[in-house]
Amino acid sequence: MNPAPIPYTKIVEAYGLRKCPKLVEQITDESLDVRINALSVLCDEFNNPYSIHGCVQAGAISVLADMIVDSDYTTRDKASLALSIAARDANGLTAILEFEVIPNILEGINDPTSKVRGQVYECLYQITRTTDGILASVSAGVTVALVKIVLEEDDILQPLILRSIYNICKDHQGLLDALTSGAVPTCINLLSDPKNTQEEVIVDAARTLGFICFADEAKDEAIEAGAVPTLVELLKIQTTVVRSATTLALMAITSTDEGKRQMLPSGAVPMLIDLLRDSDRTVKANTLKIVSNTAVSPEARTLLRTDPDCMSILKEMASDSCADKFLCKHAKAALAAVMWKA
């Protein structure tokens, strides 16, 4: 008895040099069922770097990018997943940049389904992890698009967007684009929203705000938008990752005179003293720098200098016998700022 014919829609693996070209041909087949089945196989194959290389050579990336706005949901789902996997691979990322498909991929942020949008955000995040990817993303308008959409996005997807914005701001033009599109007040809105209880969002919003605010032009905008009291309030959250991110942002913002002045009425001084005892080295280092900044205010300096716990901790960390020379250095600077008299 002859074996039953293989259904046309079944994807049968080819061998040798025809394997990848055949698969790319199948994802462009006229039959929707063939395309979907081929896309499923392609996603599995993309877990193999050799397959990514072969499919890239056969033109898969451009085809996948065009599918981001396909009318069929499954096609968009599989195409965006494949691109997110490809962006983690050197060959896949190179092809994304060479074929200039970031504008096509970016259209996926408007997809009606959170799954497709999430895979698009993952792809964009992977792209922005490299210098070339950042430059290409800036040219494609990714910065402005992500800043505009992050507030309205599902909270589970917001961290990926914020991480991409953070990466893009490493480029000067990317930073300018972020500032002009409202990245600073956007981050502060995320941090001050009482309905926002997801720790990842708080951490990434504070981290992104802090990074942006190392640029002088961002500090005043952050202060006017209420960054200082918002960040001080978040210091009450007893998790290391939140304290690390919020102290980083405060460290940047309190380098300005107005930032220093706002620390006292925001009730920051007692919290800073508590944070000097923190078990995390990064939180301690950030706090020491904030203390140095805040102590410029005579009222804050008096509160710090007259608090026995504060002085005891600072003197201990500033002692030459302190084993951690990095903390010792910043503790000496903080102690000198607190002890300064006009």
Side-chain angles (χ1 to χ4, degrees):
M1 180 182 294
N2 292 326
I6 299 172
Y8 177 67
T9 56
K10 181 178 176 64
I11 307 303
V12 179
E13 182 176 354
Y15 293 94
L17 296 176
R18 275 293 296 159
K19 176 179 178 179
C20 292
K22 180 184 177 184
L23 191 53
V24 174
E25 289 168 12
Q26 288 170 319
I27 66 174
T28 62
D29 196 274
E30 291 182 359
S31 167
L32 176 61
D33 288 338
V34 172
R35 292 201 304 271
I36 289 174
N37 291 340
L39 282 167
S40 295
V41 173
L42 184 77
C43 289
D44 290 338
E45 286 292 334
F46 268 19
N47 290 305
N48 181 345
Y50 291 104
S51 293
I52 292 180
H53 176 70
C55 291
V56 161
Q57 294 294 104
I61 295 299
S62 295
V63 175
L64 292 169
D66 288 339
M67 288 178 169
I68 290 292
V69 293
D70 195 276
S71 59
D72 176 65
Y73 161 69
T74 306
T75 299
R76 301 195 309 274
D77 174 33
K78 299 297 184 184
S80 58
L81 174 59
L83 284 166
S84 71
I85 299 170
R88 301 184 196 120
D89 177 86
N91 288 310
L93 178 57
T94 298
I96 288 172
L97 301 181
E98 284 185 354
F99 288 100
E100 299 181 346
V101 296
I102 293 177
N104 306 62
I105 296 170
L106 188 59
E107 291 187 56
I109 69 174
N110 298 311
D111 196 274
T113 67
S114 61
K115 187 178 181 186
V116 171
R117 295 197 307 275
Q119 288 164 175
V120 168
Y121 295 140
E122 173 66 26
C123 180
L124 293 171
Y125 168 65
Q126 295 298 334
I127 291 170
T128 62
R129 292 180 69 190
T130 68
T131 301
D132 288 342
I134 289 171
L135 296 175
S137 296
V138 171
S139 297
V142 172
T143 325
V144 175
L146 293 184
V147 172
K148 285 183 177 178
I149 205 168
V150 65
L151 281 177
E152 304 302 322
E153 187 52 272
D154 295 344
D155 58 0
I156 197 169
L157 299 179
Q158 288 172 335
L160 268 177
I161 302 173
L162 290 164
R163 289 167 201 167
S164 295
I165 295 170
Y166 177 98
N167 288 343
I168 290 171
C169 287
K170 295 174 185 176
D171 173 71
H172 181 65
Q173 186 57 52
L175 174 63
L176 293 178
D177 290 347
L179 289 172
T180 55
S181 56
V184 169
T186 294
C187 287
I188 295 169
N189 284 339
L190 286 169
L191 293 169
S192 60
D193 185 353
K195 291 181 283 187
N196 180 16
T197 58
Q198 188 174 328
E199 183 175 271
E200 266 193 298
V201 177
I202 294 171
V203 169
D204 283 301
R207 182 171 169 262
T208 302
L209 176 65
F211 186 75
I212 293 173
C213 284
F214 279 102
D216 290 337
E217 53 265 51
K219 292 180 174 69
D220 291 339
E221 185 180 6
I223 291 167
E224 290 175 11
V228 173
T230 296
L231 290 166
V232 169
E233 183 65 23
L234 289 172
L235 292 176
K236 296 176 183 177
I237 298 178
Q238 296 302 307
T239 64
T240 298
V241 285
V242 171
R243 293 196 303 270
S244 177
T246 51
T247 53
L248 172 71
L250 279 170
M251 184 178 69
I253 294 169
T254 56
S255 64
T256 67
D257 290 341
E258 184 57 29
K260 296 175 175 67
R261 282 192 288 269
Q262 287 194 14
M263 290 292 281
L264 186 63
S266 297
V269 173
M271 293 186 195
L272 293 178
I273 296 170
D274 286 340
L275 288 174
L276 289 172
R277 305 185 186 91
D278 200 276
S279 59
D280 184 78
R281 184 172 184 259
T282 299
V283 173
K284 276 184 180 177
N286 291 348
T287 302
L288 287 167
K289 295 172 188 177
I290 298 169
V291 167
S292 295
N293 292 340
T294 304
V296 171
S297 162
E299 296 87 351
R301 188 165 64 248
T302 298
L303 287 176
L304 291 164
R305 188 169 58 234
T306 56
D307 186 287
D309 286 342
C310 176
M311 295 305 295
S312 174
I313 296 167
L314 287 178
K315 288 177 180 178
E316 181 179 350
M317 282 197 287
S319 169
D320 290 335
S321 61
C322 178
D324 192 324
K325 299 306 178 187
F326 175 77
L327 287 180
C328 179
K329 170 188 170 183
H330 291 292
K332 286 181 177 180
L335 183 61
V338 170
M339 294 299 294
W340 186 85
K341 292 183 180 181

